[in-house]
Amino acid sequence: MKPSFRLLSTVAAAALVCCASSSVLAQSKFVLKLAHADSADLGTSRKAVMADTFAKEVKAKSGGRIDVQIFGAGALGGEREVVEGVKNGFIQAGLASGVMANFFPGAMVTDIPYLFPSDEVADKVMDGPFGQKLSADFNAATGMHNLCFGEVGFRHFSSGKKPIHSPKDLVGMKIRVQETPLYVTEMKALGAQPTPIAFPETYTALQTGVVDGQENPIPTLIFAKFYEVQKNVTLDGHNYGIDWFVLSDKFYKSLPPDLLKVVTDAGKVACAEERKVNRTFTANGNKTMADKGVTVYTPTAAELAEFRAAAQPPVIEFLKTKIDPKLIDSIQTAVKDADAKK
């Protein structure tokens, strides 16, 4: 009887191991909902490209253990709702830009006017020690994780009445801006009359003369067809926008080390691809504007220095009331060092 009992015990133990293994295997499957509020069109939307690149990388490198489900075009809400969903763990990941300061005031530091002299310098700063420290501060303050920094791009002026070559040309002009204190402060410093208007209403406001001009990255200007009602564009690059790729802490902690590396690496690949595509969109946009009869002006070094001298000090003073002044000094030093190493 004893041998039979031992045999049964062995079979039972094997069955338990088998069941346990099946349970572990089942638990190794993860669903990652990735949301953003931009268009889902890969031909025009940088965030759609970013999400698609990430999904493909994760699928390939995880062997299908992570199922990335993309919800674009605001399917899960606007940027604020997306980030709130990530923070609360309802959404695993999200792509957002302007709304980030509402969750982490330190995000405003990259909006210092005329901070980055080129996208090459911006890449070095945001991919380097400064960007890593900013992501760590973000995690400490919010509990969320930032996988990488993408690119909204440089913001430029457009106008319908007259070209803008210096701050003097902005004096008295009504410029449509986002309804944020930083941009309002910046436009006032440049002599303009900042006029907050919802983006969907901007085209009509430009067309009817409610405002004289606006400011946005070139791809946005093309997407919204502002070139139809704005025949002057000034490539001054007064602000450089950042996309954040945020990840839920709950999801972050649920991943085994190997899959966490897959997600982290895929994020970096996605951000790099987004920057590349966005710069292509920008180059194509400049050509489109020329074809549409828009006069595109690139300020001289002296003119840019004049813009910078007018806009930077007031905005920096404003920022010092909102964020740690050391963060401002840190990014300015990082930009200086990166520019010197070009």
Side-chain angles (χ1 to χ4, degrees):
M1 293 295 293
K2 288 184 179 180
S4 297
F5 179 77
R6 287 174 183 171
L7 178 59
L8 288 171
S9 298
T10 301
V11 171
L16 287 172
V17 170
C18 181
C19 290
S21 298
S22 297
S23 177
V24 170
L25 182 61
Q27 291 175 7
S28 68
K29 299 284 186 178
F30 297 87
V31 173
L32 191 164
K33 293 180 180 178
L34 171 58
H36 65 84
D38 283 20
S39 165
D41 181 6
L42 294 174
T44 60
S45 171
R46 68 181 189 277
K47 283 181 182 172
V49 171
M50 192 179 190
D52 183 67
T53 300
F54 176 78
K56 289 176 178 176
E57 280 288 310
V58 169
K59 182 177 180 179
K61 300 296 173 59
S62 73
R65 291 167 63 196
I66 301 178
D67 176 22
V68 178
Q69 300 174 0
I70 300 173
F71 296 84
L76 298 184
E79 283 200 345
R80 182 187 290 271
E81 289 76 22
V82 166
V83 179
E84 286 176 347
V86 172
K87 184 175 176 62
N88 294 324
F90 303 137
I91 304 172
Q92 286 71 46
L95 311 178
S97 51
V99 75
M100 295 306 297
N102 293 292
F103 298 88
F104 176 58
M108 289 189 289
V109 74
T110 57
D111 282 324
I112 292 174
Y114 305 98
L115 174 66
F116 296 110
S118 67
D119 47 30
E120 178 186 357
V121 169
D123 289 350
K124 288 182 178 179
V125 171
M126 301 314 297
D127 291 342
F130 173 81
Q132 293 165 13
K133 177 64 165 55
L134 189 65
S135 291
D137 290 347
F138 170 72
N139 175 237
T142 69
M144 291 180 281
H145 301 265
N146 180 52
L147 293 183
C148 56
F149 294 101
E151 173 182 273
V152 176
F154 286 102
R155 304 181 75 89
H156 306 291
F157 287 110
S158 74
S159 62
K161 290 184 177 180
K162 62 179 181 179
I164 299 169
H165 293 181
S166 74
K168 293 178 183 178
D169 297 320
L170 282 165
V171 174
M173 289 185 68
K174 293 181 180 179
I175 301 295
R176 180 271 171 184
V177 295
Q178 298 179 65
E179 195 169 354
T180 61
L182 187 147
Y183 283 120
V184 170
T185 299
E186 180 180 2
M187 291 303 115
K188 285 182 177 178
L190 289 170
Q193 295 181 28
T195 308
I197 294 176
F199 184 76
E201 300 169 13
T202 301
Y203 183 99
T204 301
L206 293 168
Q207 186 180 43
T208 58
V210 172
V211 289
D212 304 309
Q214 63 85 50
E215 52 82 47
N216 261 302
I218 296 301
T220 301
L221 189 152
I222 298 299
F223 171 77
K225 297 185 177 180
F226 290 157
Y227 54 77
E228 294 179 347
V229 291
Q230 299 274 277
K231 292 303 180 182
N232 298 284
V233 169
T234 301
L235 301 178
D236 68 308
H238 47 273
N239 296 103
Y240 179 78
I242 301 291
D243 273 332
W244 293 64
F245 196 140
V246 295
L247 193 70
S248 156
D249 184 60
K250 180 180 178 181
F251 183 74
Y252 183 93
K253 291 178 178 177
S254 74
L255 293 175
D258 63 324
L259 291 186
L260 182 58
K261 185 177 187 307
V262 166
V263 168
T264 301
D265 291 347
K268 293 177 181 177
V269 172
C271 280
E273 184 62 20
E274 187 210 34
R275 290 174 182 172
K276 178 182 175 182
V277 168
N278 194 55
R279 289 163 197 177
T280 298
F281 288 164
T282 299
N284 292 342
N286 287 331
K287 183 179 183 303
T288 296
M289 287 191 296
D291 292 342
K292 297 292 184 180
V294 176
T295 299
V296 180
Y297 181 74
T298 301
T300 65
E303 288 167 340
L304 280 176
E306 191 177 352
F307 277 114
R308 187 181 303 109
Q312 262 199 15
V315 172
I316 287 176
E317 286 306 308
F318 164 78
L319 282 175
K320 285 180 179 178
T321 68
K322 305 295 181 181
I323 64 178
D324 186 349
K326 292 180 180 178
L327 187 60
I328 298 171
D329 294 338
S330 180
I331 196 169
Q332 289 181 309
T333 298
V335 168
K336 184 178 179 180
D337 291 344
D339 194 30
K341 296 175 181 177
K342 283 194 303 182

